[in-house]
Amino acid sequence: MRDDDTVADMSAQPSSPGDIPPLEIEFCGEIYRVDPGSTFTIGRVGDLAIDDNPFLHRNFLVIEYHNNMWWVRNVGSRIAVTVAENAGMLQSWIGPGTQLPLVVSDMSLVFTAGPTTYEIDVTVPDNVYEISDRNRTSVGETTVGQIVLSPAQKLVILALAEQWLKRVGTGSVDIPRSEEAAERIGWTRSRFNRKLDYVCDKLDQLGVKGLRGGQGAHATYRRARLVEYAVAAQLVSIDDLPMLDEELKANQRARELARIQRAERAAEKKRNAAAVRK
């Protein structure tokens, strides 16, 4: 741990010799330590009071140690949370009223409240499982596991996830609206939404929850859920961001060429009309 990190000890009772080490939680550079026997709460209020966001539950997540494992429990009523291993090899989705064991050393909790998406990092001591990457395949830059993205589908995700990928450490990010993301790459809003439909349908068919139907049908929620999944599964990374400027410049050049061609056709039409009058 760095000397400049802010540490808050959330121990509810002293640990006796032989107890497992505390679990560590990091959010916006602040680190919390949670000992077995204590209950750590996350929400608008609690041990980790995230934000004065009216869309966020006052009490949202509870982290506790029981049955020889660390668990995260969603005590909210409408917001789901993505629990992901930080190498992108393991990801689960916890709906309201459910819980999940934290079984890998380095994990992230990612969730969306209103237009804002949050990430909290968790370091689990004495993890139960280790992740093997022997089944991960990579062909080119757009294949992760069994998910292959077209360049247009990858651009959709990058335009939505740009600020998330650029941020340093954990914290919160506002996901752009469709018109803002479309403008970022020089597309029309209708084209962007059409490609967004395609990529959400593809991931939905592969079993990714929250991208269509029910609550996921809400436009803001769907965009945020796509970013949650894509970043956690490492479908996109900060190294892909130059694609955004390349696409924007290509579309700007195409529009300028089309403008010049229209002007040339208009001038030619005037010349032809003048010749006819003579």
Side-chain angles (χ1 to χ4, degrees):
M1 185 182 303
R2 303 189 308 272
D3 291 338
D4 59 345
D5 282 329
T6 302
V7 177
D9 187 358
M10 304 307 301
S11 304
Q13 58 187 35
S15 300
S16 59
D19 280 350
I20 66 168
L23 175 140
E24 288 191 354
I25 296 171
E26 190 271 330
F27 181 71
C28 291
E30 187 170 5
I31 297 176
Y32 302 82
R33 293 175 177 171
V34 189
D35 282 337
S38 64
T39 297
F40 189 88
T41 59
I42 300 171
R44 222 164 63 234
V45 298
D47 299 316
L48 174 50
I50 294 177
D51 198 356
D52 187 20
N53 180 344
F55 295 97
L56 182 64
H57 296 301
R58 286 174 56 83
N59 298 294
F60 176 42
L61 300 176
V62 173
I63 296 178
E64 295 176 307
Y65 185 83
H66 56 84
N67 296 330
N68 297 317
M69 300 179 74
W70 288 99
W71 294 77
V72 57
R73 179 160 46 99
N74 184 345
V75 296
S77 60
R78 62 184 182 277
I79 301 175
V81 57
T82 297
V83 181
E85 183 266 336
N86 286 343
M89 298 295 291
L90 176 67
Q91 185 175 152
S92 296
W93 201 54
I94 310 178
T98 60
Q99 62 179 347
L100 187 79
L102 301 172
V103 296
V104 182
S105 293
D106 298 310
M107 307 194 76
S108 295
L109 309 178
V110 184
F111 53 91
T112 298
T116 305
T117 298
Y118 302 87
E119 180 181 27
I120 299 171
D121 281 349
V122 179
T123 301
V124 184
D126 297 331
N127 56 292
V128 178
Y129 298 111
E130 293 185 0
I131 299 296
S132 171
D133 63 357
R134 64 183 179 181
N135 292 322
R136 178 187 290 260
T137 59
S138 178
V139 180
E141 295 183 348
T142 57
T143 304
V144 178
Q146 300 300 314
I147 300 177
V148 182
L149 299 175
S150 70
Q153 290 167 344
K154 193 165 187 177
L155 281 165
V156 166
I157 297 174
L158 285 170
L160 293 172
E162 180 178 18
Q163 296 308 314
W164 184 266
L165 293 170
K166 283 182 174 180
R167 85 204 197 301
V168 177
T170 58
S172 61
V173 170
D174 286 347
I175 304 302
R177 297 175 312 213
S178 288
E179 54 266 34
E180 294 170 332
E183 183 179 359
R184 174 66 179 90
I185 53 180
W187 290 7
T188 63
R189 180 178 178 180
S190 61
R191 182 187 181 193
F192 184 88
N193 283 333
R194 186 168 63 252
K195 298 296 184 181
L196 176 61
D197 288 341
Y198 291 157
V199 72
C200 286
D201 285 345
K202 171 182 281 191
L203 295 176
D204 176 75
Q205 291 169 11
L206 292 171
V208 180
K209 298 179 180 179
L211 294 177
R212 60 182 301 183
Q215 184 182 17
H218 190 278
T220 299
Y221 182 88
R222 182 175 70 158
R223 293 194 304 273
R225 174 61 185 142
L226 177 59
V227 171
E228 287 180 23
Y229 178 81
V231 173
Q234 298 187 4
L235 298 185
V236 293
S237 72
I238 194 170
D239 294 334
D240 299 318
L241 289 179
M243 291 177 61
L244 297 173
D245 287 332
E246 293 168 5
E247 180 70 10
L248 177 61
K249 290 176 182 177
N251 288 318
Q252 288 173 336
R253 288 193 298 267
R255 283 198 297 271
E256 178 62 17
L257 178 60
R259 186 192 66 78
I260 293 172
Q261 291 173 340
R262 287 194 301 271
E264 290 175 346
R265 287 195 297 269
E268 179 67 19
K269 186 175 180 180
K270 286 182 179 180
R271 287 194 295 270
N272 291 339
V276 169
R277 286 195 299 271
K278 289 181 181 179

